[in-house]
Amino acid sequence: MNHDNSKKPSGKPPYNRSGSQDSLDELSLDDYWKEIENIHEASNSNREQEVVVKEPDEGELEEEWLKEAGLSNLFGEAAGDSQESMVVLATLTRTQSAAVQKRVETVTQTMRKKNKQYQVPDVRDIFKQQNDSEQKATDGVKTAENKTETQEETEEDPACNHHIGDSSLRHAVPASDSDINVEISFSEQAATLSDNPAGKVARDKDDDTLTPDFRLPKNKTGTTKIGDLAPQDMKKVRSLALIELTAIFDIFGAEVKPQKTIKIKTKESGLFGVPLTVLLEQDQKRMPGTRIPLFFQKLISYIEEGKLDTEGLLRIPGVAARVKSLCQELEAKFYEGTFNWEHVKQHDAASLLKLFIRELPQPLLTVEYLKAFQNVQKLPTKKHQLQALNLLVLLLPEGNRDTLKALLEFLQRVIDHRDKNKMTLKNVAMVMAPNLFMFHGLGSKSTEQSEFVMAAGTANIMLFLIKYQNLLWTIPTFLVNQVRKQNAESQRKEKKDKAVKKLLKKMAYDREKHEKQDKNISDIKNVNDADVPQGVIRVQAPHLSKVSMAIQLTEELKASDVVARFLSQKSGTVQVVKKDEVFLYEIGGNIGERCLDDNTYMKDLYLLNPNAEWVIKSKNC
């Protein structure tokens, strides 16, 4: 976003405002333009070089997209070994498949133009096979309210059923416009709505309701938050989120083209102007396990210690000369622990916080996806915008996501004191938007009209990030179910491959020894699961006084009930553990590892993943 003209556009904009600006008139944008002026006045003139975005051709962009989506084996020299990619393709919805196919075709055409002889499998047959099953997704959105009989199919392992990704279609669609349906693919919902007689989704009407009270309906198998899944499953979630986001943007004619930067020399130590990854690496050496830069944490805690009641906090800038002097002193003394915080004024500290964010060599929202965040404003409704932001948050690297979360939580605490500091949600969004979205490396020459559109759009996106942060850090159920399906498909293929190998090598095995090993394994399993009747699960708690317990499943049994039963046992020599220190985990089966929320209904989850193990432990174990 380029702001060569930092002055607020004068006069009423000579054009109709888009839906993303429905409650943001020019007057209410004063805080935004004032912040732009403050940023220019306080800009660091010593910055030697800015990050410049490399503009690859369309084929290279789509090739990079396929790599990010976990589908790099569909092309190039590795195309012959595409089993992993085929597993992903086999679990996609209709709209997700269309998004992938579009990128594959672009890459294929580019390779042909460049006379590259890379093998690119024709995935249309796979997608064709999916059309019938994925058409159920569309039908399910339309008729879910009337569906009551969809559990006719049963197999040995429910995790292998092709409908696992679409199991949510058995549930009713959300009862109101403020409900966010996370059980059905967002892009499938969008495609179904766009198929209405009008031919397109109606853009939100202008009204005074800038931020509806969106909510997530309860799901019996539990809500999954970022941080609840094992890394290997989270990697799959990220790839699926990119495919899903692209599918939504394709439906509405918007763009998701991850940008790339030219590598430049950056600072390798210090506080301001240091890459986030470098900051975290140097902080983790001082304090292992650090997920948010120590300096950023200290700034937030200091501002809060100085009271959040300060009028105009974040909006009123600190004295530029004093802020510059503080920067230099902090660079020299912060890590030595000799910096004196006592005389730092509240507005100066707030200015340091915003400066820290702006001075990151690459934006907190990343160069790759900053444009995608900006383009969210082009989606027609607030619900679609919120869904897209949810997926974008999932795409951020961990360090960026954790730091953004800390920032948003701090901003909400500032807003909670709005009666005294006069900083409402809208005020804070206006002030903070330029600090997160103003990045010259992505800039192009802008007009007064585009400046206004970008200002209103990014302010609204900032507002959504703050208000709906709890929703945005939730992993949609349909993505978790797609991960389950991928895991089940991989296990099935692996089992099949092992069976073939065993058959080919059976003459080389010592059959007697092999049977003995099988018996030992069976004996061990029988010891662990001895006499566990149907409808009963065995829960392990290796760190508690009672390490194992058989628990009868009932319709109302929740994860919190299971943990409570263990904690109610008399503790002998084992240290007493508090409820908020341990959690019930679902491990194995069709998931790597998942921390369960308290309201998970165990019988429903057991039916979804009957081969899982159930373990109570802390998140640090």
Side-chain angles (χ1 to χ4, degrees), residues 17-25 28-29 32 209-212 373-374 376-377 382 385-386 389 425-426 429-430 433 437 452-468 472:
R17 291 172 293 159
S18 70
S20 66
Q21 307 164 46
D22 54 6
S23 297
L24 297 175
D25 56 30
S28 71
L29 285 168
Y32 183 98
T209 309
L210 181 62
T211 55
F373 272 97
Q374 294 172 349
V376 165
Q377 64 183 298
K382 298 176 181 69
Q385 292 167 8
L386 183 59
L389 285 175
L425 173 61
K426 185 184 291 187
M430 292 290 179
F437 289 95
F452 188 94
V453 171
M454 184 61 70
T458 57
N460 255 336
I461 295 167
M462 191 73 233
L463 188 148
F464 268 46
L465 287 170
I466 298 170
K467 174 159 185 173
Y468 303 117
L472 296 177

Side-chain angles (χ1 to χ4, degrees), residues 193-368:
L193 291 173
S194 66
D195 288 339
N196 63 35
K200 62 180 181 178
V201 178
R203 185 173 286 278
D204 279 347
K205 296 178 180 179
D206 288 353
D207 56 37
D208 294 328
T209 309
L210 181 62
T211 55
D213 290 325
F214 288 121
R215 68 183 188 92
L216 298 180
K218 296 293 184 183
N219 179 285
K220 283 202 163 187
T221 58
T223 300
T224 306
K225 293 285 189 179
I226 291 174
D228 286 348
L229 292 181
Q232 67 267 29
D233 285 339
M234 196 61 204
K235 183 178 179 181
K236 294 183 179 76
V237 166
R238 191 178 185 277
S239 297
L240 287 166
L242 176 58
I243 298 171
E244 175 71 4
L245 178 73
T246 306
I248 294 174
F249 274 47
D250 282 354
I251 289 168
F252 296 120
E255 285 188 349
V256 179
K257 290 187 176 179
Q259 304 293 310
K260 288 295 174 185
T261 58
I262 298 173
K263 291 184 178 180
I264 63 171
K265 187 175 181 180
T266 56
K267 289 174 63 177
E268 297 181 358
S269 63
L271 300 175
F272 296 91
V274 180
L276 191 58
T277 53
V278 175
L279 278 170
L280 288 171
E281 285 173 5
Q282 69 182 19
D283 287 350
Q284 286 162 0
K285 291 176 182 177
R286 293 176 170 86
M287 188 177 294
T290 297
R291 300 175 63 89
I292 301 161
L294 296 176
F295 174 62
F296 192 70
Q297 292 183 52
K298 178 60 181 177
L299 267 178
I300 288 176
S301 64
Y302 177 76
I303 295 171
E304 293 187 345
E305 288 168 7
K307 294 186 180 180
L308 296 175
D309 296 343
T310 304
E311 186 170 339
L313 186 63
L314 295 173
R315 178 172 55 80
I316 298 175
V319 177
R322 197 163 58 217
V323 170
K324 184 176 181 180
S325 176
L326 286 170
C327 284
Q328 295 171 348
E329 191 176 353
L330 280 163
E331 289 278 7
K333 298 180 179 180
F334 176 74
Y335 283 118
E336 293 180 359
T338 58
F339 181 78
N340 185 359
W341 289 90
E342 292 182 5
H343 304 298
V344 179
K345 299 181 182 299
Q346 282 288 80
H347 292 305
D348 290 346
S351 291
L352 287 169
L353 181 74
K354 293 186 290 184
L355 180 63
F356 172 84
I357 295 169
R358 294 197 308 273
E359 288 292 296
L360 289 170
Q362 296 194 18
L364 187 58
L365 300 180
T366 73
V367 167
E368 286 79 5

Side-chain angles (χ1 to χ4, degrees), residues 1 3 29-36 430 433-434 454-455 458:
M1 180 179 172
H3 287 280
L29 285 168
D30 278 347
D31 286 343
Y32 183 98
W33 303 116
K34 287 176 182 176
E35 183 67 13
I36 292 292
M430 292 290 179
M454 184 61 70
T458 57

Side-chain angles (χ1 to χ4, degrees), residues 517-529:
Q517 289 174 340
D518 283 346
K519 184 176 184 303
N520 290 339
I521 293 172
S522 178
D523 290 343
I524 293 171
K525 180 175 177 60
N526 290 336
V527 169
N528 290 335
D529 299 325

Side-chain angles (χ1 to χ4, degrees), residues 15-154:
Y15 57 93
N16 292 327
R17 291 172 293 159
S18 70
S20 66
Q21 307 164 46
D22 54 6
S23 297
L24 297 175
D25 56 30
E26 186 181 9
L27 187 61
S28 71
L29 285 168
D30 278 347
D31 286 343
Y32 183 98
W33 303 116
K34 287 176 182 176
E35 183 67 13
I36 292 292
E37 292 175 12
N38 293 335
I39 289 172
H40 282 292
E41 290 174 6
S43 62
N44 186 354
S45 59
N46 295 324
R47 179 179 287 187
E48 295 179 359
Q49 190 175 13
E50 288 186 347
V51 177
V52 180
V53 172
K54 179 185 178 183
E55 295 290 348
D57 62 39
E58 188 174 10
E60 290 175 333
L61 278 174
E62 306 298 25
E63 193 170 326
E64 189 62 35
W65 184 94
L66 287 166
K67 289 179 181 177
E68 290 290 317
L71 297 170
S72 58
N73 286 337
L74 285 179
F75 58 90
E77 297 176 359
D81 183 25
S82 57
Q83 179 171 314
E84 184 178 342
S85 295
M86 293 308 170
V87 167
V88 176
L89 291 173
T91 60
L92 299 183
T93 66
R94 176 177 60 92
T95 49
Q96 291 171 350
S97 298
V100 173
Q101 186 172 351
K102 181 178 178 180
R103 273 79 202 165
V104 170
E105 289 173 351
T106 301
V107 172
T108 303
Q109 293 170 5
T110 303
M111 288 178 174
R112 286 173 181 165
K113 288 178 182 179
K114 294 181 178 180
N115 295 319
K116 290 188 176 182
Q117 301 302 314
Y118 287 163
Q119 178 185 355
V120 182
D122 190 342
V123 295
R124 285 176 294 181
D125 291 338
I126 297 175
F127 295 145
K128 185 178 179 181
Q129 292 171 11
Q130 280 191 289
N131 282 342
D132 292 338
S133 62
E134 293 307 333
Q135 183 62 38
K136 296 176 185 177
T138 304
D139 296 339
V141 178
K142 295 176 180 176
T143 63
E145 289 178 321
N146 301 321
K147 278 197 173 185
T148 57
E149 302 176 354
T150 54
Q151 293 185 343
E152 298 175 359
E153 297 179 47
T154 56

Side-chain angles (χ1 to χ4, degrees), residues 434-451:
N435 292 281
L436 264 75
F437 289 95
M438 195 178 77
F439 179 65
H440 293 281
L442 292 177
S444 57
K445 290 186 177 179
S446 57
T447 63
E448 183 175 290
Q449 177 172 325
S450 65
E451 285 279 337

